[in-house]
Amino acid sequence: MKSYDEEWTDGERAIYDECYQAGAEWADDPDTPSDDVQHVINLAEADDDVFDDAETDYRPLVDAVTQATGENLTSVPLSHADPGFRGFTDGVRDATAEDVFGL
């Protein structure tokens, strides 16, 4: 289910929406390895304090945020407060059957 941060601007919500859609499409793609989907679900389920202000260069996520923002990015913050990260991971989680990964 989509989950906006109350303090996000309209632009941040638009990034979330685009990344959410990209994550859902990526997870539904039969060519996406199940281990990769599980990796993103694990990121989605982790607490932000585990990330310790880290960033990721995980290509599907970076590509989704790059597309949504129009900026050439090399990494994305690992933070549920970041609309790109949260949108992509929420999209993956929502597109994945609960019985497949034990969600």
Side-chain angles (χ1 to χ4, degrees), residues 43-44 51 61 65 76-80 82-89:
L43 291 175
F51 298 139
L61 173 56
V65 177
V76 174
L78 288 171
S79 171
H80 293 92
D82 180 79
F85 173 81
R86 188 150 110 197
F88 189 83
T89 58

Side-chain angles (χ1 to χ4, degrees), residues 64-75:
V65 177
T66 295
Q67 181 69 30
T69 63
E71 298 176 21
N72 190 17
L73 303 172
T74 58
S75 64

